Amino acid sequence: MRHLLKNLGLYALAAWASLTLNFIIPRMMPGDPASAMFARFAGQLQPEAIEALRAAFGFTNEPLLQQYFTYLSHMFQGDLGISVAYFPSSVTEVIGTGLGWTLLLSGTAVLISFALGSLLGVVATWRRGGWLDSTLPPLLSFLGAFPYFWLAMVLLYGLGYTLGAFPLRHAYSDMLAPELSGEFIGSVAEHMVLPALSIVIASLGGWMLGMRSSMVGVLAEDYISLANAKGLSQGRIMFHYAARNALLPNITGFGMAIGFVLSGSLLTEIVFSYPGQGYLLIQAVRNQDYPLMQGIFLTITLAVLGANLLVDILYVWLDPRTRAR
């Protein structure tokens, strides 16, 4: 508990620093979102409207400290400001439209690649020298060397365009409306296959090689020899004794990967026109939508901190040595 409370304090400090930087950086840049929006309308707005826009975006003539406390109060209420590109929609509403799709696509892909890669690493190391250990590591390393967006384009052309086995774009059929029905869920799953597969193929080798490297060290430990001497089943030794301890380094990488899930697989989402966070980020950059960029970056930062806190909790459960500190 002491270990978790100490880390919780560090994460709270990091979250406060992220919020503060998110407030300071836009105010250090020349201009403001209101001026950019005013220029986009090219004379369609009255000059006095720019002050109202500045107030809407949180750029007022109040003292900086007062603006900061106003900003913090809005943050704690879930108010991330007004989007420039999607005006007058709020940043929270805009992020909410892409958040679910990103969690579905990237979250599913990361979970599958982590679970499958770690399992393959355990089995391949346990049977060192076998066909699995000799074939999969170089093959997956070769595939992982390609950029994931290149794999996405190959899958799109081969399985989507040439064979017509899967849809080419979007998150579901244009002929359907979002609803809780078997037809809609099936369409979502069908549209998700190619983008998720490109992410899994690109990342599977990393998880397998990481687990394999960790397992090689664990199998040389004395407690593995002792477990064999006791006559325990090979399955129990492999998973309960070896894999559980070898999994710890991969858990750290998994926490980081889960945290960055909210950023979306930017280029994959662009290739498949998938309406996730990465696609929204590109739209925000193109339209100089600083509030939306701030909101997405802050969401990613807090997600990484939250994921790492969960990893610390998992460490306490998986590694008894942590509880003894």
Side-chain angles (χ1 to χ4, degrees), residues 15-253:
W16 170 77
S18 300
L19 285 169
T20 303
L21 288 173
N22 210 35
F23 169 81
I24 292 175
I25 291 176
R27 286 160 176 79
M28 294 175 63
M29 298 172 64
D32 55 64
S35 300
M37 178 176 248
F38 191 81
R40 279 175 55 200
F41 281 92
Q44 298 179 35
L45 295 176
Q46 296 298 322
E48 56 269 16
I50 193 169
E51 292 302 325
L53 287 173
R54 284 199 178 102
F57 292 125
F59 289 80
T60 63
N61 293 323
E62 296 176 345
L64 195 62
L65 188 61
Q66 186 174 344
Q67 289 185 45
Y68 177 65
F69 285 117
T70 302
Y71 160 82
L72 287 181
S73 68
H74 287 172
M75 286 292 108
F76 287 122
Q77 295 172 26
D79 181 7
L80 300 177
I82 304 297
S83 170
V84 174
Y86 298 91
F87 186 84
S89 298
S90 68
V91 170
T92 306
E93 292 174 353
V94 176
I95 291 178
T97 61
L99 189 59
W101 296 115
T102 288
L103 288 173
L104 180 64
L105 173 62
S106 300
T108 301
V110 167
L111 286 172
I112 291 174
S113 61
F114 169 76
L116 185 57
S118 298
L119 179 61
L120 290 173
V122 170
V123 176
T125 311
W126 191 256
R127 299 175 180 175
R128 293 182 69 183
W131 69 269
L132 194 65
D133 188 43
S134 303
T135 305
L136 276 187
L139 176 62
L140 292 177
S141 297
F142 173 74
L143 291 175
F146 292 103
Y148 65 89
F149 63 88
W150 185 86
L151 292 173
M153 289 189 289
V154 170
L155 291 173
L156 182 67
Y157 179 78
L159 298 179
Y161 179 75
T162 303
L163 298 179
F166 297 99
L168 300 179
R169 61 182 65 87
H170 301 319
Y172 55 89
S173 172
D174 295 335
M175 306 300 293
L176 298 175
E179 59 181 359
L180 192 60
S181 66
E183 185 180 11
F184 178 74
I185 293 173
S187 178
V188 169
E190 188 180 19
H191 281 73
M192 192 175 67
V193 170
L194 291 184
L197 187 59
S198 67
I199 299 171
V200 170
I201 292 175
S203 59
L204 191 60
W207 293 118
M208 181 182 179
L209 291 175
M211 192 65 182
R212 184 180 182 277
S213 176
S214 185
M215 277 285 290
V216 168
V218 168
L219 290 179
E221 296 289 341
D222 292 337
Y223 60 83
I224 299 295
S225 301
L226 179 61
N228 279 306
K230 286 182 176 180
L232 298 178
S233 67
Q234 293 298 292
R236 184 177 181 187
I237 297 173
M238 179 170 62
F239 289 108
H240 187 74
Y241 287 86
R244 180 172 179 175
N245 290 284
L247 189 63
L248 294 176
N250 258 22
I251 286 290
T252 302

